[in-house]
């Protein structure tokens, strides 16, 4: 085992926030009292060592779930969501925060998707079953880092490695292939610093992704496509022949996605805004959805981008004008059209127009059917056609004409 005491400035104030809020109560009064150890685990340690505030802070312990339940009950600490108990996780509720505490585990049997586990008190055994070295560390509540596989060294060198054998870790859960790519984008400073043996293991085990649920795949993929090096990573996934198991088109437009990612990356594109560049036809979006089970909003956005990325563009006569886009939004009358058009501008790399449209509010068309009825227009068909004519006049005025000006057109 390799361990060291980290200075407070290395851990960061965030770690001490969690320590003061949670661990002073639980560790000192409960876990320590019953001779059980408690440490911060996994991704939270990685983030703290990187100077980032973790989204979640998970804990690992030598106590079994039953022992934790007894301790929490005696201390009057509320527990919620017992679904994780069979996997060793108890969720404690303190100060309006949820804290997941998981018993140390070893894998008894794996099928490439799920693992049967048994509990242990061996910290290294638990670390050994984790995916990447940078996710395998523990942080003691006194500031001691417990690092069994040189994860801290890899983190400082911004290197992404599997714990032990890449092939074995992948075969335990094939989703780790995509987790490797996602964390590579998060950690690595350059796009092509992969260990060739790791890529060989990924290629040789890629078929295992076919058995992973679409929802799990999409959870990883959508984080990856908006991360660093996404263009390189997607191209690499094509060269490793992974995409046939992911619902992505076999002849996806890799050059287009590289172009789109470079233009959109600094403008917080939605994952589907980037991924849509791969699709040449709407049918490919439908096949992707069958595999990945994306949300209705995500699928609709992909279809929108595939349809309008060439149809709805800035005017050649007035390249700085928002008018083609604002006219489209007003004609659409759907609540989320402006959001979709903003994603389209990110896709097209129209930075200036995107900034303008983001600050633009949809103006209210000042005329309605009641106004026309008061003027003697009574049939639904005539009201509809008149409103459309007036809407066209209003658009040509730059949405400036008021009700009286528009109704004067009806009188004339």
């Amino acid at each position: 085992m390799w361990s060291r005491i980290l200075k407070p400035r290395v851990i960061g104030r965030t770690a001490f926030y969690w320590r003061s809020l949670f661990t002073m109560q639980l560790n000192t009064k409960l876990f320590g009292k019953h001779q059980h150890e408690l440490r911060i685990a996994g991704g939270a340690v990685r983030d703290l060592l990187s100077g980032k505030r973790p989204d979640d802070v998970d804990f690992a312990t030598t106590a079994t779930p039953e022992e934790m339940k007894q301790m929490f009950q005696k201390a009057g600490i509320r527990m919620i969501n017992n679904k994780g108990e069979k996997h060793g996780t108890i969720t404690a509720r303190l100060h309006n925060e949820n804290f997941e505490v998981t018993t140390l585990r070893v894998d008894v049997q794996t099928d490439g998707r799920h693992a049967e586990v048994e509990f242990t008190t061996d910290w290294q055994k638990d670390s050994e079953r984790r995916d990447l070295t940078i996710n395998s560390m523990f942080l003691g509540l006194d500031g001691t880092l417990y690092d069994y596989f040189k994860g801290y060294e890899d983190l400082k060198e911004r290197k992404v490695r599997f714990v032990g054998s890449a092939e074995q870790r992948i075969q335990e859960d094939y989703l780790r292939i995509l987790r490797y790519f996602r964390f590579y984008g998060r950690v690595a400073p350059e796009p092509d610093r992969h260990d060739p043996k790791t890529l060989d293991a990924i290629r040789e085990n890629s078929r295992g992704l076919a058995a992973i649920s679409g929802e799990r795949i999409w959870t990883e993929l959508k984080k990856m496509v908006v991360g660093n090096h996404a263009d390189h990573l997607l191209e690499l996934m094509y060269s490793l022949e992974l995409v046939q198991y992911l619902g992505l088109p076999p002849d996806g437009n890799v050059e287009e996605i590289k172009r789109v990612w470079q233009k959109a990356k600094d403008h917080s594109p939605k994952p589907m805004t980037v991924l849509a560049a791969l699709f040449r036809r709407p049918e490919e979006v439908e096949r992707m959805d069958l595999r990945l089970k994306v949300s209705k909003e995500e699928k609709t956005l992909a279809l929108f981008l595939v349809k309008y990325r060439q149809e709805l563009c800035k005017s050649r006569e007035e390249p700085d004008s928002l008018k083609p886009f604002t006219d489209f939004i007003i004609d659409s009358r759907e609540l989320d059209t402006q959001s979709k058009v903003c994603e389209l501008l990110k896709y097209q790399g129209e930075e200036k127009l995107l900034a303008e449209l983001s600050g633009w509010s949809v103006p209210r068309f000042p005329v309605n059917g009641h106004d026309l009825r008061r003027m003697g227009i009574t049939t639904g068909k005539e009201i509809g056609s008149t409103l459309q004519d007036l809407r066209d006049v209003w658009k040509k005025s730059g949405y400036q004409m008021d009700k009286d000006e528009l109704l004067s057109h009806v009188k004339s």
Side-chain angles (χ1 to χ4, degrees), residues 262-379:
Q262 286 293 340
K263 289 179 177 294
K265 63 180 180 179
D266 295 328
H267 302 289
S268 303
K270 293 182 178 179
M272 199 56 78
T273 302
V274 177
L275 203 64
L278 284 176
F279 307 122
R280 302 175 192 271
R281 297 170 290 279
E283 296 80 14
E284 294 176 341
V285 177
E286 299 289 349
R287 284 195 287 272
M288 175 273 299
D289 181 45
L290 286 174
R291 176 67 178 105
L292 299 184
K293 307 292 192 300
V294 301
S295 70
K296 182 179 178 182
E297 178 189 347
E298 289 165 332
K299 178 182 176 181
T300 301
L301 176 60
L303 290 169
F304 175 86
L305 293 169
V306 170
K307 181 176 181 180
Y308 289 108
R309 59 191 168 192
Q310 293 181 330
E311 285 185 25
L312 181 56
C313 301
K314 64 183 180 182
S315 167
R316 290 183 179 179
E317 293 76 24
E318 298 180 85
D320 294 332
S321 173
L322 269 181
K323 197 167 186 308
F325 304 99
T326 53
D327 284 356
F328 182 90
I329 292 167
I330 287 171
D331 286 343
S332 169
R333 304 179 204 178
E334 293 181 8
L335 293 176
D336 66 340
T337 300
Q338 184 168 350
S339 171
K340 287 191 286 193
V341 173
C342 282
E343 293 304 309
L344 176 66
L345 291 172
K346 295 175 189 178
Y347 184 105
Q348 295 172 338
E350 298 293 349
E351 186 173 350
K352 182 174 181 295
L353 294 177
L354 172 63
E356 289 182 32
L357 187 63
S358 297
W360 180 78
S361 298
V362 180
R364 178 179 171 273
F365 181 53
V367 178
N368 58 43
H370 295 299
D371 299 320
L372 299 183
R373 288 189 185 92
R374 284 193 287 267
M375 297 181 67
I377 301 173
T378 56
T379 68

